Amino acid sequence: MNTRLLPPQPAVLLAALLSTVPFPVSPAQGQTESRDTVTLPTVVVTVLRSPVRLDRMPFATSVLAGPEVREGNSGVFIEEALHGLPGVRVQNRYNPSQGERISIRGFGARSQFGVRGIKILVDGIPATLPDGQSTLDHLDIGSLGRVEALRGPAAAMYGNGAGGVLLFESAAPHTGTYRQDATVVAGSNGLLRLQATGSGTSGGVAFRASATQSRFDGFRDNATGSGEDPYSQATRTTLNAGLTTSAAGGTLALQLSGVDLDALNGGSLPAELFDEGSNEAWGFNVRRGTRKDARQGQVGVSWRGGVGAKSLIHIYKPTRQEAISYPVIR
């Protein structure tokens, strides 16, 4: 077979020549690139007990702040506020009588209920008991403004429960004189949450107070005919208030929280009954009246500021009559 090469066409030669000629960029194009450049604000975390820039921290740390913590959520379950944190897993059983199980990189996964193996602080006040167990019934999820997570061996600086650290902070008060907000959330299985929040700043004192009541009927039916249907109802009322002001070269904060929780425990469901489509509570639980009734209130005073080359955080909890001072090297 004979192959003959055709001479190049003039149009092809012209296109190849033009492709090698540099064309100047118009001023409009150059200005568009500068406008498209967005400078992100610096993220500062305090989970190491001292302000540190996130990009300067040599530890595994994550931060969730702003509307992404509250907006689009029911404000009833902790899972909704933590689902965006890497390495943090929440098993939500939708059973307020047992609570949600939280684990960080596997620590806390062996807990039957509640939170174990990790350290939790709410507005600077430890929520973890000396035995490593944490209770989060008093946490007002609808008022959260920031969540910081510390993973890895650096959590050992907090002592027991050193599988990781979760730091919850309430939303900052309104910078104006006063602002009133109201929230209503309704959903399936009898879900209803009512929240009223007032905050503001006056004379150098910032204040914020929130009262919330939530109700959840659950999804376990009562098959014993005792008059309560379904048998997995829960009602929780929380109060979260705080004051902050400048004092002695630092920030003085007063924090108050309380919770009143009544929750029935319908129990789990065996795999065979689940496969059959059953949704009934255990008759034994109904007859015994298994439930969780919790009443908790606490008041905390903290001061954060610089002391020489160190930062000092002082926490006083009248409910336990103890004072804790944490010196932190910057």
Side-chain angles (χ1 to χ4, degrees):
M1 180 178 63
N2 296 328
T3 303
R4 185 179 64 175
L5 298 178
L6 297 176
Q9 301 297 326
V12 177
L13 293 176
L14 180 60
L17 180 62
L18 291 177
S19 63
T20 60
V21 177
F23 290 93
V25 179
S26 63
Q29 292 178 347
Q31 293 174 2
T32 302
E33 290 185 4
S34 62
R35 294 196 199 99
D36 292 342
T37 302
V38 178
T39 303
L40 299 178
T42 302
V43 179
V44 178
V45 297
T46 58
V47 71
L48 291 180
R49 304 186 189 275
S50 182
V52 182
R53 285 178 50 177
L54 185 60
D55 57 349
R56 301 282 184 175
M57 183 177 297
F59 306 111
T61 308
S62 301
V63 179
L64 289 178
E68 60 181 334
V69 180
R70 302 183 306 273
E71 292 184 356
N73 299 331
S74 66
V76 178
F77 304 106
I78 303 175
E79 176 192 17
E80 300 170 337
L82 301 181
H83 62 78
L85 287 175
V88 180
R89 183 178 182 272
V90 182
Q91 183 184 22
N92 188 1
R93 287 168 284 191
Y94 301 95
N95 187 352
S97 64
Q98 293 188 355
E100 296 161 273
R101 184 168 58 184
I102 304 176
S103 64
I104 298 180
R105 290 185 174 179
F107 287 91
R110 298 184 62 184
S111 173
Q112 295 297 323
F113 59 89
V115 183
R116 291 182 181 270
I118 61 178
K119 193 78 170 184
I120 294 181
L121 296 92
V122 180
D123 290 321
I125 301 177
T128 301
L129 301 177
D131 63 352
Q133 182 177 358
S134 301
T135 172
L136 291 177
D137 292 330
H138 66 292
L139 179 61
D140 188 1
I141 305 172
S143 298
L144 285 178
R146 185 181 180 91
V147 182
E148 296 183 10
L150 176 63
R151 307 177 297 276
M157 69 176 65
Y158 282 84
N160 66 329
V165 181
L166 286 177
L167 176 62
F168 295 94
E169 294 183 358
S170 299
H174 179 54
T175 56
T177 304
Y178 184 74
R179 176 177 176 178
Q180 181 72 41
D181 296 320
T183 304
V184 178
V185 176
S188 58
N189 295 315
L191 175 63
L192 178 64
R193 181 172 70 89
L194 306 175
Q195 179 175 357
T197 304
S199 63
T201 304
S202 177
V205 178
F207 60 91
R208 188 179 190 278
S210 176
T212 306
Q213 185 177 71
S214 59
R215 178 181 176 85
F216 181 57
D217 289 342
F219 45 84
R220 286 283 181 264
D221 296 330
N222 184 359
T224 63
S226 60
E228 289 184 290
D229 190 20
Y231 194 85
S232 52
Q233 300 171 344
T235 302
R236 179 170 63 179
T237 303
T238 59
L239 174 64
N240 182 25
L243 294 173
T244 58
T245 185
S246 299
T251 301
L252 179 66
L254 170 66
Q255 195 68 29
L256 181 147
S257 64
V259 62
D260 185 347
L261 172 65
D262 296 325
L264 300 176
N265 184 8
S268 59
L269 197 66
E272 56 271 15
L273 294 181
F274 179 80
D275 294 336
E276 294 175 2
S278 175
N279 207 27
E280 297 178 355
W282 282 112
F284 178 83
N285 286 23
V286 176
R287 289 190 298 270
R288 291 287 183 176
T290 57
R291 62 194 303 131
K292 177 180 180 180
D293 295 335
R295 310 289 185 275
Q296 177 182 336
Q298 67 179 25
V299 178
V301 179
S302 65
W303 179 84
R304 181 189 297 269
V307 180
K310 299 181 179 180
S311 294
L312 184 69
I313 305 174
H314 181 78
I315 300 176
Y316 176 63
K317 300 177 63 178
T319 54
R320 296 188 182 180
Q321 296 294 326
E322 65 179 7
I324 308 174
S325 297
Y326 300 111
V328 180
I329 301 177
R330 287 180 177 174

